[in-house]
């Protein structure tokens, strides 16, 4: 029997953390024993969906920094397909349909194919990863993603020995994406990674956040996450993955080559031509933070750039 209104109760007050994490599994098990209704009333959907994520580091790739609220993460966005203001993606993406979805794999790969998204991700176990995210504009967020390491996907697809880069493409659907009716970026949005970057254990394909499916504004139904790079590398709503021999074109590099390079590694020592990259504002905080080399992921990624001039390869 609930005494407080359920909205007022933090889920941590009523569920041990392990159960909180495994709510779906718990309900599945409980339903099998015919107590589904009871389970549902102890773990109402409104608590799952609420604006909290359990504190602390759970896995080796997690940051222990405080996670941003669900509201911050889903209302302060960049997704130019839906407009250029931070509030546009959440306001204008309601009509976008991320289901059904297909991902086409092509190029230098032994198993080129077009996959239904469900089949594409079915072989893998979904993981939660709390990553620090830094936009090139000077703000940052901490986001609990749900998804799969890109390396696992690539291994299964078996790129040929000619594959040196992976190129990604966002869907082109101007009927549902009003920004695509204007030519302020080249559509469809494209991005790419060098093969070693794509295979780095940090590189993630997200299909969810906060334990739920990705909201449209965050790149539903599947998007790239490379936490040591500026946010624009994290291409959203991916429909094509192409294995290629040469460095592929990238949208922001095409749009302003002197400002955005192929690598886009977070680097406080390499300023953007129009502003400093030394500090950042964490959304929800007042004082600025120091920006960290490779966004704090140097230990995991610095060796990939050994010997490279990072001022030239920005
Ligand atoms: N297709 C596409 N992907 C995109 C963008 C975009 O405009 N279009 N914006 C990028 C930028 S600049 C950032 S900072 C991140 C923001 O991701 P988030 O809104 O999920 O935090 O998405 C990136 N991916
Ligand atoms: Mo960004």
């Amino acid at each position: 029997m609930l005494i407080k209104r359920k909205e007022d109760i933090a889920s941590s007050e009523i569920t041990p953390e392990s159960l909180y994490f495994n709510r779906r599994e718990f309900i599945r098990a409980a339903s099998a024993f015919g107590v589904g209704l009871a389970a549902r009333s102890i773990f109402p959907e409104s608590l799952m969906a609420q604006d909290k994520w359990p504190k602390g580091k759970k896995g080796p790739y997690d940051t222990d920094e405080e996670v941003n609220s669900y509201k911050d993460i889903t209302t302060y966005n960049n997704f130019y397909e839906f407009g250029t203001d931070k509030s546009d993606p959440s306001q204008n993406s309601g009509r976008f349909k991320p289901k059904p979805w297909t991902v086409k794999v092509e190029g230098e790969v032994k198993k080129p194919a077009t996959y239904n998204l469900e089949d594409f991700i079915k072989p893998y176990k979904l993981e939660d990863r709390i990553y620090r995210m830094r936009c090139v504009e000077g703000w940052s967020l901490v986001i609990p993603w749900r998804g799969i390491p890109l390396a696992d996907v690539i291994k299964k697809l078996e790129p040929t020995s000619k594959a040196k880069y992976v190129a990604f493409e966002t869907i082109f659907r101007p009927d549902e994406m009003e920004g695509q009716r204007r030519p302020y970026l080249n559509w469809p949005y494209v991005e790419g990674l060098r093969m070693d970057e794509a295979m780095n254990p940090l590189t993630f394909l997200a299909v969810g956040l906060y334990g739920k499916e990705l909201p449209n504004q965050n790149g539903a139904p599947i998007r790239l996450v490379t936490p040591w790079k500026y946010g624009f590398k994290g291409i959203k709503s991916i429909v094509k993955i192409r294995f290629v021999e040469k460095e592929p074109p990238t949208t922001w590099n095409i749009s302003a080559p002197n400002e955005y390079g192929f690598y886009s590694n977070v680097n406080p020592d390499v300023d953007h031509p129009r502003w400093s990259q030394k500090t950042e504002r964490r959304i929800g905080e007042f004082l600025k933070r120091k920006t960290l080399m490779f966004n704090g992921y140097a230990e995991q990624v610095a060796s990939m750039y050994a010997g490279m001039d990072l001022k030239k390869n920005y």
Side-chain angles (χ1 to χ4, degrees), residues 23-33:
R23 177 180 177 279
R24 277 228 208 87
E25 285 76 346
F26 180 83
I27 286 179
R28 205 175 295 138
S31 306
F33 289 96

Side-chain angles (χ1 to χ4, degrees), residues 101-105 111-120 157:
W101 195 265
T102 57
V103 178
K104 187 174 186 197
V105 176
K111 297 176 180 169
T114 301
Y115 297 86
N116 292 319
L117 183 63
E118 292 74 26
D119 299 333
F120 188 69
L157 296 174

Side-chain angles (χ1 to χ4, degrees), residues 227-239:
W228 73 99
K229 292 177 179 288
Y230 291 117
F232 65 85
K233 274 270 151 185
I235 181 172
K236 294 177 167 180
S237 306
I238 296 168
V239 286

Side-chain angles (χ1 to χ4, degrees), residues 65 132 202 227-228 266 291-301:
E65 285 179 37
R132 206 184 286 116
L202 279 174
W228 73 99
V266 175
T291 288
L292 303 172
M293 187 62 197
F294 296 115
N295 202 26
Y297 296 98
E299 211 180 295
Q300 292 98 317
V301 304

Side-chain angles (χ1 to χ4, degrees), residues 89-104:
S90 55
Q91 282 173 8
N92 302 337
S93 64
R95 281 172 357 102
F96 179 68
K97 295 210 169 41
K99 281 178 194 172
W101 195 265
T102 57
V103 178
K104 187 174 186 197

Side-chain angles (χ1 to χ4, degrees), residues 210-311:
Y210 260 86
K212 309 196 302 162
E213 287 185 346
L214 271 186
N216 289 346
Q217 58 268 37
N218 294 91
I222 185 164
R223 61 88 57 86
L224 181 67
V225 179
T226 48
W228 73 99
K229 292 177 179 288
Y230 291 117
F232 65 85
K233 274 270 151 185
I235 181 172
K236 294 177 167 180
S237 306
I238 296 168
V239 286
K240 230 183 246 181
I241 301 177
R242 184 177 175 80
F243 293 89
V244 295
E245 234 181 317
K246 301 220 167 71
E247 188 183 286
T250 62
T251 289
W252 280 100
N253 179 253
I254 293 166
S255 137
N258 59 320
E259 299 187 4
Y260 309 107
F262 178 78
Y263 285 95
S264 326
N265 291 318
V266 175
N267 189 339
D269 303 325
V270 178
D271 288 340
H272 186 280
R274 292 185 279 134
W275 60 80
S276 162
Q277 292 291 23
K278 285 193 168 27
T279 62
E280 68 199 55
R281 190 172 72 87
R282 177 68 44 84
I283 300 305
E285 291 181 355
F286 179 68
L287 294 175
K288 289 220 170 170
R289 290 174 175 249
K290 279 199 166 135
T291 288
L292 303 172
M293 187 62 197
F294 296 115
N295 202 26
Y297 296 98
E299 211 180 295
Q300 292 98 317
V301 304
S303 64
M304 294 193 290
Y305 310 103
M308 277 175 70
D309 181 345
L310 297 179
K311 288 208 160 73

Side-chain angles (χ1 to χ4, degrees), residues 78 86 134-139 189 230-233 252:
N78 268 339
K86 301 293 167 258
R134 168 64 153 82
C135 177
V136 74
E137 296 165 341
W139 49 271
Y189 194 100
Y230 291 117
F232 65 85
K233 274 270 151 185
W252 280 100

Side-chain angles (χ1 to χ4, degrees), residues 79-84 178-180 182-187 255:
F79 199 168
Y80 276 29
E81 283 82 341
F82 294 111
T84 55
E178 58 187 71
Q180 287 182 333
R182 293 162 148 269
Y184 48 70
L185 283 180
N186 72 298
W187 311 115
S255 137

